[in-house]
């Protein structure tokens, strides 16, 4: 009985903690569809006053379609870069013996120690002043092109494959490229889901860099556009709170959906190994 | 490594031309030189986006540097430590470092304690563990800009939190109160990041042998005793990692003071070094002083991380 009571208590405590984590999402979704988002605890479960005007409101101030497209281009660019160059680098550092292999690995570790914030001034100078890449998709994508955590995850998965299958492939005369494509890749398919999840959230949620490098509203990803709305435009809107929550919903929805669908791939071992190396 | 073994080939009498060229190639480039080709794009990326800007940041911090139009060449004279003196005698900069310290003192203990306790609770084989996990992870994967929009409303003057607190509500409200702005950010970041640290702790908990818990049970330890004597020492290396990552996160705050407290307000009470780097470099066009702040920040983070590693004694099992 005592043990049972303790387990009930544990469940209640965890449920209370989970509620604290989930509540702002509930508030966001409900408020986004309310004519007047509540600030009163007694009306947290509204029965009326539903509207979709908040979405058309924010759409009239922030071109949601353009902003979503820019976010999508940013994210897809980073995904493509990571799934090609990051995959190749992860495979090489795990499976191929070549001169400089350890140098590549040390470089990967060092990169994770340099904070982006130190690089933002020189990167801004280089990309906007020297290369003229301000307000371009390439300029937004470039600093994020290959996600190093993803390289670590690929490396970890390829390291986990038995050496014998590579030996027999080489004995059969398969080229390295063919070994990678037809033998190694199918075996690490779960790595792709993890890598796509981990890589997706980076550029989709990124604020600082696209904020620095875009002045042109038509080039801004949704995170930047929404932040500008929050700081500048919302004062003049009729229901700014509802519009902010509507924008927040649009920005949060794709990632939350993706995460809930594939959360079992977001496991501690995969991501942890990626972070720890 | 592989090159040295291949060069110890026994002297061969049938020494033909293609073989020699292959072994030379092998000695120079390794057994599978294709690895160089595979790694090349990533290495170029690291050089262009990390190594060169890193060097440039340090170079700028020692020179008098101004922005120019593309292809206009102006001299950038060496000025020694002058940018560092300018940065470190600026009260706003000193305030931002103090703010970071306030942040760390509040955020790091909350983060470490809550993530280890919640991970341990999730690991006891309770029901709906995966549903709880999703709840804890969701803020971590969601865009900060979205969540800050929600927190802005929740913690505003007439917001939900204050109307629940009623007469206990702080005046001025959380985000515009100079004493509460930084603690509010510290709590927001702890809430946002906690899921990721729970994830790291869950991985570390898998590595603790079950026998240790059984032995502790035989010794008569209760739940708390086992947590304190088995779990906490068992995840020590994860704790060091969590400490270091929390310090790095805390030192690099930008979005939170920029949006949540309206540009580090009130009156610089929640300004962070990165916010000042942005203001000095882009708004006041002083990239040289901004770079100096960046270098000081990186050195400070390095020292704090080394201390965390020392205190946690984590280097032996990494």
């Amino acid at each position: 009985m005592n043990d049972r009571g303790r387990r009930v208590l544990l469940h209640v405590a965890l449920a209370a903690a989970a509620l604290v984590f989930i509540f702002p999402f509930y508030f966001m979704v409900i408020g986004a569809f309310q004519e007047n988002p509540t600030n009163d605890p007694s009306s947290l479960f509204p029965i009326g006053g539903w509207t979709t005007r908040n979405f058309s409101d924010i759409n009239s101030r922030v071109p949601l379609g353009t902003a979503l497209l820019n976010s999508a281009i940013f994210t897809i660019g980073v995904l493509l870069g990571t799934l090609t160059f990051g995959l190749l680098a992860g495979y090489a550092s795990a499976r191929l013996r070549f001169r400089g292999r350890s140098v590549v690995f040390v470089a990967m570790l060092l990169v994770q120690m340099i904070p982006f914030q130190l690089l933002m001034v020189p990167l801004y100078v280089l990309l906007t002043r020297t290369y003229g890449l301000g307000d371009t998709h390439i300029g937004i994508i470039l600093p994020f092109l290959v996600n190093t955590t993803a390289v670590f995850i690929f490396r970890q998965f390829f390291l986990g494959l038995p050496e014998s299958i590579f030996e027999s492939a080489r004995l059969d005369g398969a080229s390295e490229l063919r070994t990678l494509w037809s033998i190694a890749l199918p075996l690490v398919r779960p790595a792709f889901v993890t890598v796509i999840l981990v890589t997706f959230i980076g550029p989709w949620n990124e604020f600082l860099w696209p904020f620095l490098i875009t002045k042109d509203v038509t080039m801004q990803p949704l995170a930047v556009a929404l932040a500008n709305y929050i700081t500048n435009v919302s004062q003049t809107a009729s229901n700014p709170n509802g519009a902010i929550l509507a924008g927040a919903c649009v920005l949060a929805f794709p990632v939350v959906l993706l995460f809930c669908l594939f959360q079992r791939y977001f496991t501690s071992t995969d991501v942890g190994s990626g972070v720890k190396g | 490594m592989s090159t040295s073994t291949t060069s110890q080939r026994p002297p061969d009498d049938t020494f033909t031309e293609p073989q020699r060229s292959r072994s030379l190639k092998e000695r120079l480039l390794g057994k599978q030189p294709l690895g160089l080709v595979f790694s090349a794009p990533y290495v170029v990326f690291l050089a262009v986006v990390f190594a060169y800007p890193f060097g440039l940041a340090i170079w700028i911090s020692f020179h008098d540097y101004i922005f120019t139009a593309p292809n206009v060449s102006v001299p950038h004279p060496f000025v020694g430590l002058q940018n560092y003196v300018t940065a470190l005698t600026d009260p706003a900069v000193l305030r931002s470092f103090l703010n970071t310290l306030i942040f760390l003192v509040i955020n790091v203990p909350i983060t470490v304690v809550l993530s280890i306790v919640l991970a341990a609770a999730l690991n006891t084989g309770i029901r709906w563990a995966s549903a709880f996990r999703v709840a804890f992870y969701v803020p971590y994967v969601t865009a900060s800009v979205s969540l800050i929009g929600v927190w802005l409303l929740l913690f505003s003057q007439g917001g939900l939190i204050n109307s629940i607190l009623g007469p206990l509500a702080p005046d001025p409200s959380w985000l515009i109160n100079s004493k509460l702005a930084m603690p509010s950010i510290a709590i927001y970041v702890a809430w946002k990041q906690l899921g990721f640290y729970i994830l790291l702790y869950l991985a570390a908990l898998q590595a603790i042998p079950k026998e240790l818990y059984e032995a502790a049970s035989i010794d008569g330890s209760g739940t708390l005793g086992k947590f304190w004597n088995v779990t906490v020492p068992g995840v020590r290396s994860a704790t060091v990692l969590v400490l270091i990552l929390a310090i790095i996160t805390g030192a690099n705050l930008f979005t939170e003071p920029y949006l949540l407290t309206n540009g580090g307000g009130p009156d610089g009470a929640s300004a962070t070094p990165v916010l000042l780097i942005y203001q000095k470099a882009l708004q006041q066009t002083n990239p040289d002083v901004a770079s100096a702040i960046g270098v000081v920040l990186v050195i400070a983070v390095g020292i704090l991380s080394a201390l965390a590693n020392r205190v946690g004694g984590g280097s032996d099992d990494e």
Side-chain angles (χ1 to χ4, degrees):
Chain A
M1 185 61 205
N2 190 12
D3 203 41
R4 194 188 153 81
R6 196 178 286 155
R7 292 195 73 76
V8 170
L9 202 70
L10 186 67
H11 278 85
V12 170
L14 270 175
L19 198 68
V20 171
F21 280 76
I22 286 298
F23 175 74
F25 289 88
Y26 171 81
F27 184 82
M28 174 167 85
V29 176
I30 297 295
F33 290 99
Q34 280 289 298
E35 279 162 7
N36 194 8
T38 182
N39 284 321
D40 186 351
S42 63
S43 53
L44 268 180
F45 305 99
I47 40 168
W50 300 105
T51 179
T52 52
R53 249 203 68 190
N54 293 326
F55 290 89
S56 46
D57 263 7
I58 184 135
N59 193 33
S60 68
R61 305 298 179 110
V62 173
L64 279 185
T66 314
L68 277 171
L69 182 69
N70 289 333
S71 285
I73 292 172
F74 184 18
T75 307
I76 290 168
V78 173
L79 279 173
L80 287 179
T82 301
L83 289 178
T84 51
F85 304 141
L87 172 88
L88 288 173
Y91 179 72
S93 93
R95 280 291 160 193
L96 300 178
R97 311 275 169 280
F98 60 96
R99 178 161 295 244
R101 187 166 86 128
S102 51
V103 178
V104 174
F105 187 64
V106 170
M108 283 164 65
L109 288 174
L110 285 178
V111 161
Q112 298 214 308
M113 290 174 199
I114 305 177
F116 180 75
Q117 282 72 5
L118 175 67
L119 304 179
M120 80 185 192
V121 173
L123 275 175
Y124 177 81
V125 172
L126 283 173
L127 266 66
T128 60
R129 310 278 156 160
T130 312
Y131 301 125
L133 290 173
D135 281 322
T136 64
H137 290 298
I138 295 174
I140 300 173
I141 292 168
L142 189 64
F144 295 84
L145 186 65
V146 186
N147 182 329
T148 291
T149 303
V151 180
F152 272 110
I153 293 173
F154 276 131
R155 179 177 189 272
Q156 215 64 27
F157 270 89
F158 284 126
L159 277 177
L161 300 178
E163 179 62 28
S164 55
I165 57 168
F166 291 94
E167 274 164 12
S168 53
R170 272 165 208 148
L171 280 178
D172 290 346
S175 70
E176 288 300 334
L177 206 59
R178 184 161 177 81
T179 312
L180 168 62
W181 187 257
S182 324
I183 295 167
L185 276 193
L187 289 172
V188 298
R189 217 171 268 155
F192 279 87
V193 187
T194 309
V195 161
I196 289 172
L197 272 181
V198 167
T199 308
F200 188 98
I201 61 176
W204 187 269
N205 295 345
E206 175 66 22
F207 169 67
L208 177 56
W209 176 250
F211 168 71
L212 290 183
I213 200 159
T214 56
K215 294 281 165 283
D216 181 354
V217 182
T218 61
M219 289 302 296
Q220 287 172 346
L222 186 54
V224 179
L226 181 62
N228 283 343
Y229 179 81
I230 291 174
T231 50
N232 301 324
V233 197
S234 63
Q235 284 94 334
T236 58
S238 59
N239 179 9
N241 293 359
I244 287 174
L245 293 177
C249 272
V250 176
L251 178 59
F253 181 72
V255 171
V256 173
L257 181 76
L258 204 68
F259 172 72
C260 289
L261 284 177
F262 297 105
Q263 62 91 15
R264 68 193 171 92
Y265 289 93
F266 198 73
T267 60
S268 39
T269 38
D270 299 347
V271 181
S273 70
V275 172
K276 283 190 275 189
Chain B
M1 291 173 291
S2 56
T3 45
S4 64
T5 52
T6 50
S7 61
Q8 282 165 5
R9 218 160 31 98
D12 205 30
D13 39 357
T14 58
F15 204 68
T16 54
E17 200 55 33
Q19 249 182 334
R20 202 182 67 176
S21 73
R22 193 197 301 157
S23 80
L24 184 69
K25 197 175 114 194
E26 203 168 300
R27 230 177 307 159
L28 279 177
L29 304 173
K31 217 171 175 178
Q32 284 129 3
L34 198 64
L36 283 169
V37 181
F38 281 9
S39 313
Y42 178 62
V43 170
V44 170
F45 165 77
L46 293 185
V48 170
V49 171
F50 287 91
Y52 181 62
F54 182 67
L56 189 59
I58 294 168
W59 189 87
I60 291 176
S61 76
F62 286 106
H63 291 76
D64 186 7
Y65 199 97
I66 52 162
F67 285 139
T68 55
N71 304 321
V72 177
S73 153
V74 289
H76 298 302
F78 177 76
V79 292
L81 290 171
Q82 197 193 307
N83 293 322
Y84 290 86
V85 173
T86 310
L88 293 176
T89 52
D90 182 344
V93 174
L94 295 177
R95 177 73 217 232
S96 74
F97 279 97
L98 176 70
N99 289 339
T100 304
L101 210 62
I102 294 171
F103 174 93
L104 293 177
V105 166
I106 298 167
N107 172 272
V108 172
I110 293 177
T111 299
V112 172
V113 172
L114 281 184
S115 55
I116 195 170
V117 168
L118 288 173
L122 285 174
N123 204 41
T124 51
I126 57 154
R127 261 188 240 186
W128 312 307
S130 64
F132 285 131
R133 252 184 29 221
V134 170
F136 297 139
Y137 293 172
V138 158
Y140 172 70
V141 298
T142 306
S144 211
V145 174
S146 278
L147 298 176
I148 284 174
V150 179
W151 277 62
L152 266 175
L153 303 186
L154 287 175
F155 282 84
S156 64
Q157 186 87 56
L160 183 70
I161 301 294
N162 280 351
S163 57
I164 290 173
L165 288 175
L168 293 172
D171 180 42
S173 186
W174 303 90
L175 303 170
I176 50 170
N177 183 324
S178 58
K179 288 207 175 59
L180 291 175
M182 210 63 208
S184 300
I185 291 178
I187 290 166
Y188 164 78
V189 172
W191 173 80
K192 166 109 173 68
Q193 300 286 339
L194 206 66
F196 178 66
Y197 299 124
I198 291 175
L199 184 85
L200 291 183
Y201 272 124
L202 281 173
L205 286 170
Q206 311 304 319
I208 300 178
K210 292 270 180 291
E211 297 82 55
L212 286 181
Y213 287 103
E214 284 157 18
S217 285
I218 293 165
D219 292 348
S221 298
T223 311
L224 267 183
K226 275 189 261 184
F227 177 75
W228 194 248
N229 296 319
V230 181
T231 307
V232 172
V235 296
R236 203 188 52 189
S237 65
T239 303
V240 173
L241 186 68
V242 169
L243 277 175
I244 291 173
L245 292 175
I247 290 169
I248 292 174
T249 307
N252 289 330
L253 296 176
F254 174 80
T255 314
E256 294 79 6
Y258 180 77
L259 287 176
L260 200 57
T261 55
N262 195 18
D267 201 20
S270 63
T272 59
V274 176
L275 186 73
L276 288 184
I277 291 176
Y278 160 73
Q279 287 172 345
K280 294 226 182 291
L282 277 87
Q283 294 180 330
Q284 303 163 16
T285 59
N286 281 322
D288 42 11
V289 177
S291 294
I293 299 174
V295 173
V296 172
L297 182 66
V298 169
I299 292 170
V301 170
I303 292 170
L304 280 180
S305 303
L307 272 176
N309 196 34
R310 198 68 175 274
V311 170
S315 53
D316 50 14
D317 48 2
E318 277 297 308

